[in-house]
Amino acid sequence: MARTLLITAAIFVLSVLALAAAKPNFSGSWTMDRWRSFGLPRDMTQTVTVVQKDDRIEVETKLIQPNNERSVKDTYVLDGKEYDFTPLVAPNQPPATGKRTAIWLPGDRGIQVTDVTTAETEKGPVKTQTVRKWTISGQGELVVDMYVDNPNVSYEAKRIFIKQ
């Protein structure tokens, strides 16, 4: 009896550890909870569609404002290597180049995506670093913490998405 109880307890502990160590799966369609998110225009809403396969994540973000809707597609390769990408720039802004690195967070709790972009301006090149941290909350929400730094501005934004 004691041996059976010990084996059952060991299986339970190993099962809990296996679940805790599983990488989060971000796949699905998500809608931003506007009232719990901050650091973006008040009239903006977002939806995100994520397709995750192993260490590759394809993201399509729809940015919705009155009289304006645009779609942005991104790819994150979670291998820690640096990749070139074309950053989105605001209308009437100079084009930019970008380098992106994406990794799993320690303990596979989520991902971290670091973009370094360079825009050529009349005053010379301006480099911006954007770090995004994606996690799944205890309530099953997608939480994206974003930190932006360049010589002119530093700010933090948080987006909370509900799965559809």
Side-chain angles (χ1 to χ4, degrees):
M1 177 72 174
R3 184 172 187 234
T4 303
L5 185 57
L6 183 62
I7 291 172
T8 303
I11 291 172
F12 175 75
V13 168
L14 290 174
S15 298
V16 168
L17 290 175
L19 285 175
K23 291 179 179 177
N25 188 335
F26 299 105
S27 292
S29 296
W30 304 84
T31 300
M32 185 176 69
D33 181 339
R34 182 67 197 102
W35 302 110
R36 293 174 44 221
S37 300
F38 67 85
L40 60 160
R42 277 279 168 227
D43 63 351
M44 180 182 283
T45 60
Q46 292 183 4
T47 62
V48 177
T49 302
V50 180
V51 177
Q52 179 177 341
K53 184 170 180 168
D54 302 322
D55 287 341
R56 184 179 181 90
I57 296 177
E58 302 283 338
V59 182
E60 182 174 5
T61 305
K62 288 191 180 172
L63 308 164
I64 306 158
Q65 290 181 286
N67 303 317
N68 183 17
E69 181 175 321
R70 59 190 167 150
S71 183
V72 179
K73 292 184 179 184
D74 277 314
T75 300
Y76 306 146
V77 180
L78 301 162
D79 62 3
K81 295 178 184 173
E82 185 176 79
Y83 293 93
D84 292 329
F85 79 103
T86 303
L88 177 69
V89 295
N92 303 318
Q93 295 297 313
T97 59
K99 302 276 186 188
R100 172 175 288 151
T101 306
I103 60 170
W104 286 102
L105 290 172
D108 295 330
R109 297 173 300 125
I111 65 170
Q112 177 178 303
V113 179
T114 302
D115 293 344
V116 177
T117 61
T118 304
E120 291 298 330
T121 70
E122 56 190 40
K123 295 181 180 179
V126 174
K127 200 172 266 201
T128 300
Q129 177 173 288
T130 304
V131 177
R132 289 180 206 84
K133 183 175 121 181
W134 287 34
T135 56
I136 301 290
S137 73
Q139 293 78 32
E141 302 164 327
L142 169 60
V143 179
V144 180
D145 292 300
M146 185 169 74
Y147 309 91
V148 178
D149 293 291
N150 73 33
N152 303 316
V153 68
S154 282
Y155 67 92
E156 176 183 351
K158 178 176 259 181
R159 293 172 176 87
I160 299 172
F161 294 90
I162 310 299
K163 196 163 197 175
Q164 300 304 301

